[in-house]
Structures are given as C-alpha cells and as structure tokens.
Amino acid sequence: MNGADEAFLSALDQWTPEDWQEYRRRIEDGEGSVRSMDAITRRRTRESETSR
C-alpha cells in the first residue's frame, strides 16, 4: 500500500451509515464502485469545508 491507499481507507473508516446507504443505492442504480466512493468522498469533503 502507498500513502494514498492508506488515506483512502482511513476516509472510509469515517463514513457514516448514511454514506454507506448512499453507496449501496448508487451501486444498485448501476454506478461503478470507484465512482460512487469518489462522489461520496467529494461530498463529505465539501460538507466539512462549509461547516468550518
């Protein structure tokens, strides 16, 4: 693993049950897993930046 992999896995550890529910919904709708994870991670980043 490299540093980027570790950062990515660390981000997944912080996902809420709602994030996982959104992920499952996206997968069921046919979106790819990497694209789904990226979209949720970007949303979480935006939300954390606006809450500062």
Side-chain angles (χ1 to χ4, degrees):
M1 275 190 170
N2 62 35
D5 291 337
E6 291 176 18
F8 181 72
L9 293 175
S10 176
L12 291 181
D13 285 342
Q14 297 177 19
W15 277 23
T16 65
E18 291 80 15
D19 295 329
W20 287 107
Q21 184 177 10
E22 178 182 348
Y23 172 77
R24 286 188 295 273
R25 181 189 52 77
R26 288 174 172 269
I27 296 299
E28 289 171 0
D29 287 345
E31 190 170 335
S33 62
V34 172
R35 187 173 181 161
S36 297
M37 288 178 179
D38 185 50
I40 293 166
T41 300
R42 284 185 283 117
R43 177 188 48 79
R44 287 179 52 83
T45 300
R46 279 192 314 272
E47 289 173 352
S48 71
E49 289 173 352
T50 59
S51 67
R52 290 184 196 170

